[in-house]
Amino acid sequence: MSRKMFDLCGRDERLRFSPYCWRVRYALAHKGLDCEFVPWKFTDKEAIAFSDQTKVPVFVDGDQTVVDSYEIFRYLDRAYPEKPLLGDATAEARARFFKFYAERSLAPGVMRTILMDVFNAIHPDDRDYFRTSREKVFGRTLEEMHSPSQGLSMLDRALEPMRGRLDESPFLDGDEAGAADYLVVGAFMWARVTSAADLVSNADPVYAWFQRMLDLHDGVGRNATRIVDVDGAYAS
């Protein structure tokens, strides 16, 4: 297979939890493209040194290497124009808005809710790196940053614009899912894979949207291995 993506994994290689990698998984499924998802850990810097940076996703398609989830969307539309992700200027403007909305409005609340769950899910080899690098950014310990009650409150407020959009249509992109949905769903998959926390109630329109997203493309999201599956298997 000529296409492969380096994909962040946890203490079990089946745990794939990067919100940015999940964006690309959905984009590939949208276009019906097969891909090899190569398990990668935070400390495996040498494995992606050829890409001239240190983060995933790193997408390789033959002799083409593309980094950054949004740039991968753009590449996929150029290389495989059927079933466009971004489409016209209006669609791209909407996608750009939801990209920044997910990263700057949704992610902080999700992170405060699940941070120690993420720490528990990552590979033991990565934990020192994760703790040191994140605590340097936060200016406090992981334990101090982890506050589910505060995180859920932050997230609830941040979801209001999304709820408004979902009152108008079943997906953020309209009647069918598109780039805007894939750019946002990564944050929810980050939590679904690593944590048992409920981000929203089942009466919330965001919950109904996420259920639709989980079932999309033959259940690409719903079929993902979760930490509750891994821990349940070890317990039994």
Side-chain angles (χ1 to χ4, degrees), residues 41-92:
K41 304 194 301 292
F42 284 112
T43 50
D44 288 341
K45 305 299 185 187
E46 285 299 315
I48 58 171
F50 68 92
S51 68
D52 294 326
Q53 51 86 66
T54 60
K55 299 177 181 179
V56 293
V58 173
F59 181 69
V60 180
D61 188 4
D63 60 357
Q64 298 293 312
T65 298
V66 191
V67 299
D68 181 85
S69 58
Y70 196 82
E71 291 306 314
I72 294 170
F73 277 39
R74 285 176 161 165
Y75 169 79
L76 291 174
D77 272 355
R78 292 194 303 271
Y80 306 98
E82 291 189 12
K83 299 181 180 178
L85 292 159
L86 300 172
D88 59 19
T90 300
E92 179 149 12

Side-chain angles (χ1 to χ4, degrees), residues 19-129:
Y20 302 102
C21 291
W22 270 106
R23 290 174 168 183
V24 180
R25 280 179 172 261
Y26 268 89
L28 290 165
H30 174 94
K31 287 184 174 285
L33 297 173
D34 293 330
C35 184
E36 176 188 0
F37 298 102
V38 181
W40 179 87
K41 304 194 301 292
F42 284 112
T43 50
D44 288 341
K45 305 299 185 187
E46 285 299 315
I48 58 171
F50 68 92
S51 68
D52 294 326
Q53 51 86 66
T54 60
K55 299 177 181 179
V56 293
V58 173
F59 181 69
V60 180
D61 188 4
D63 60 357
Q64 298 293 312
T65 298
V66 191
V67 299
D68 181 85
S69 58
Y70 196 82
E71 291 306 314
I72 294 170
F73 277 39
R74 285 176 161 165
Y75 169 79
L76 291 174
D77 272 355
R78 292 194 303 271
Y80 306 98
E82 291 189 12
K83 299 181 180 178
L85 292 159
L86 300 172
D88 59 19
T90 300
E92 179 149 12
R94 181 168 57 247
R96 292 290 291 178
F97 169 81
F98 279 107
K99 170 190 184 299
F100 292 118
Y101 170 68
E103 294 166 1
R104 300 183 185 186
S105 296
L106 300 184
V110 176
M111 181 273 295
R112 298 287 310 256
T113 304
I114 68 169
L115 183 57
M116 292 309 297
D117 296 326
V118 173
F119 185 73
N120 175 60
I122 65 176
H123 196 282
D125 292 348
D126 284 344
R127 288 179 182 164
D128 286 346
Y129 165 82

